[in-house]
Amino acid sequence: MARVFNFSAGPATLPEEVLRQAAEEMLDWGGTGQSVMEMSHRGKDFLSIAAAAEADLRELLGVPDYYRVLFLQGGASLQFEMIPMNLLRGRATADYVNTGEWAKKAIKAARGLADVHVAATSEDRSFTYVPAQADWELSTGAAYVHYTANETIGGVEYGWVPQTGDVPLVCDMSSNIVSRPVELTRYGLIYAGAQKNIGPAGLTIVVIRDDLIGVGDPVPPAMLDYATHAKADSMYNTPPTYAIYIAGLVFKRLLATGGLAGAEQRNLAKAGLLYDYLDRSDFYANPVEPADRSRMNVPFTLADSALDADFLAGAAERGLVQLKGHRSVGGMRASLYNAMPIEGVQALVDYLTEFATAKG
Ligand SMILES: Cc1ncc(COP(=O)(O)O)c(C=O)c1O
C-alpha cells in the first residue's frame, strides 16, 4: 500500500527518507552485522551514534557549551515533575502560564511539589490566544517561569519569547521543537518528547543550563535528578537507543535541508496554505486568534458536526488519516509537523474544498 498522509498529533509522521535509511540499516548498521537495536549502549558503535545525534542537535538549536543536552525517558509528562523537583532550589513558588490542556497538565503536576502561581491564563476565551506579556503577573522570588510554546490540542503557539529577567525561563517545546529557529540562551531549560518532530516515542530531550543542574533541594531521587543524567552522559541507565538513532537521522536530514531556518520556511508555507483556505471558507472554522495560531497543529470544525464521521471516512479513502480532533475539543485537527510534506497539505485542502462543495 502507498504511504498515507498522516496528520497525527503524535506519534507522528517521520521523513520517508529517514525510514528508508533505517530500513536499509536494519539488519546491518555500518558493517557491524547487527541492528542498532541489538547494540550495547556502552559499545563504541552506539556511543558514536549518540554523540553524533547530540552534536547535530546542538548545531541545529545553537546550544552553547554551558548547556547540557540530555536524552531521557518518561516523556514530557515526567518533566512536569522533574522540573519542580530540580529547579525550586529551596524556593517555594514557581510561575506558570496557562494556555490550555498541556499547560494545565504541567500546572497540575507541579502543584503537588511547589506553590504554583498562575501568572497569566487565556481560560477566559477558551484558550484561543496567548496572553500578552504585559498582562502577566509574575511573582517576586519565583524559582522559574514555565510556559508551553505550542498547545498541541488547542492549536495555539507563541511567536515570541517571554522576558523573565534573571528568573530561569522553562519551556515545554514538545510539539514545536526544531520547527523554527530558537534563541536558546533565553532559556534555563527546554524539554520535548520526541514523538512529534524528532522521532519515535520513548525519547525525551532536555536542554538545561549548567547552573540549574545539581541544585535540587532537597536532592531528588537519583533517576529524577538532572545531575545523575548529566554526569553519566545520559547513560546512567539504558537509554532508548533506537529512538536516539532515528532522532539522529532526523537531525542530519534537517541540517542537510537548511537547518531550522529551512524548516521554518517550509512550515510557514504549509500552515499558510491551510489557514488561508480555512479563512476563505464559510464551511470550516478555526477559533484561534490569527497571531497566535499554531504552525504545527491546526484544529478546525465543520459547519455541522453531524458531518464529522462522513468527513473522516472520505479523508481516509483518500489516504488522509488521523484528522479527528482531540476528544476534549472535538472537530478536526491537522498536525503539520516538519515531516509532513506540502503535498500532504495540498491534498488536504483539495479534499476540504471537494467536501465543502458537496455538503455545504
Ligand atoms: C505540548 C505537550 N506537552 C506534553 C505532552 C506530553 O508528552 P508525553 O506523552 O511525552 O509525556 C504532550 C503530548 O502530546 C504535548 O503535546
Side-chain angles (χ1 to χ4, degrees):
M1 176 180 182
R3 271 175 69 74
V4 293
F5 290 119
N6 175 8
F7 294 91
S8 168
T13 190
L14 285 169
E16 188 169 325
E17 298 78 357
V18 164
L19 296 176
R20 288 192 186 285
Q21 184 175 345
E24 255 171 47
E25 295 177 342
M26 178 59 77
L27 296 181
D28 176 13
W29 182 86
T32 58
Q34 47 183 302
S35 150
V36 173
M37 260 181 275
E38 303 165 302
M39 287 176 184
S40 163
H41 60 295
R42 305 207 184 273
K44 73 170 175 30
D45 294 315
F46 183 73
L47 289 178
S48 76
I49 289 171
E54 178 179 338
D56 290 342
L57 180 59
R58 280 182 173 275
E59 186 176 341
L60 279 169
L61 295 175
V63 182
D65 58 7
Y66 56 97
Y67 283 74
R68 294 298 300 267
V69 170
L70 305 177
F71 292 146
L72 306 181
Q73 300 181 66
S77 302
L78 185 59
Q79 294 311 306
F80 293 166
E81 288 164 357
M82 281 178 73
I83 286 160
M85 283 177 149
N86 285 267
L87 266 49
L88 278 174
R89 314 188 305 289
R91 293 171 172 79
T93 310
D95 284 347
Y96 279 74
V97 177
N98 186 7
T99 44
E101 295 307 315
W102 289 109
K104 279 199 267 180
K105 287 221 165 77
I107 288 169
K108 187 167 177 228
R111 279 218 163 103
L113 300 155
D115 204 346
V116 170
H117 169 70
V118 177
T121 175
S122 52
E123 195 161 11
D124 59 337
R125 283 175 19 221
S126 310
F127 299 114
T128 53
Y129 69 101
V130 173
Q133 169 110 41
D135 299 327
W136 292 22
E137 289 174 11
L138 297 174
S139 47
T140 21
Y144 59 88
V145 178
H146 178 283
Y147 78 105
T148 311
N150 183 65
E151 286 284 357
T152 321
I153 296 173
V156 172
E157 183 173 11
Y158 285 71
W160 45 279
V161 181
Q163 303 276 1
T164 57
D166 291 340
V167 181
L169 181 61
V170 174
C171 183
D172 178 355
M173 292 193 184
S174 289
S175 47
N176 69 353
I177 192 167
V178 299
S179 70
R180 57 201 288 165
V182 60
E183 283 181 81
L184 197 90
T185 54
R186 303 276 297 273
Y187 297 91
L189 184 155
I190 66 167
Y191 64 100
Q195 66 272 20
K196 299 163 195 302
N197 260 330
I198 290 180
L203 168 64
T204 312
I205 308 267
V206 172
V207 183
I208 179 170
R209 211 172 56 212
D210 282 348
D211 61 291
L212 297 174
I213 300 174
V215 288
D217 174 17
V219 176
M223 276 294 285
L224 303 176
D225 187 349
Y226 293 124
T228 305
H229 301 287
K231 263 184 225 144
D233 282 330
S234 305
M235 305 259 178
Y236 174 74
N237 70 319
T238 316
T241 52
Y242 199 75
I244 292 172
Y245 156 71
I246 298 285
L249 298 183
V250 169
F251 298 151
K252 280 251 180 292
R253 192 176 154 68
L254 272 173
L255 285 170
T257 51
L260 299 193
E264 178 174 47
Q265 288 315 311
R266 293 187 291 274
N267 290 328
L268 278 170
K270 289 184 289 174
L273 180 60
L274 182 51
Y275 284 119
D276 285 351
Y277 173 75
L278 294 175
D279 285 346
R280 280 199 312 272
S281 148
D282 297 331
F283 189 77
Y284 304 99
N286 166 281
V288 179
E289 191 67 44
D292 303 329
R293 284 171 166 177
S294 169
R295 298 172 185 174
M296 299 281 100
N297 311 98
V298 184
F300 61 93
T301 49
L302 276 53
D304 177 1
S305 62
L307 295 170
D308 285 4
D310 246 18
F311 175 88
L312 289 165
E317 273 169 26
R318 288 159 181 78
L320 309 171
V321 305
Q322 299 285 338
L323 283 163
K324 194 171 190 314
H326 191 269
R327 60 190 178 282
S328 66
V329 293
M332 307 296 152
R333 171 176 51 172
S335 294
L336 313 179
Y337 297 123
N338 282 350
M340 171 58 64
I342 195 151
E343 292 76 13
V345 186
Q346 187 60 58
L348 174 60
V349 168
D350 291 347
Y351 174 59
L352 289 167
T353 313
E354 183 189 327
F355 191 84
T357 309
K359 311 277 179 170

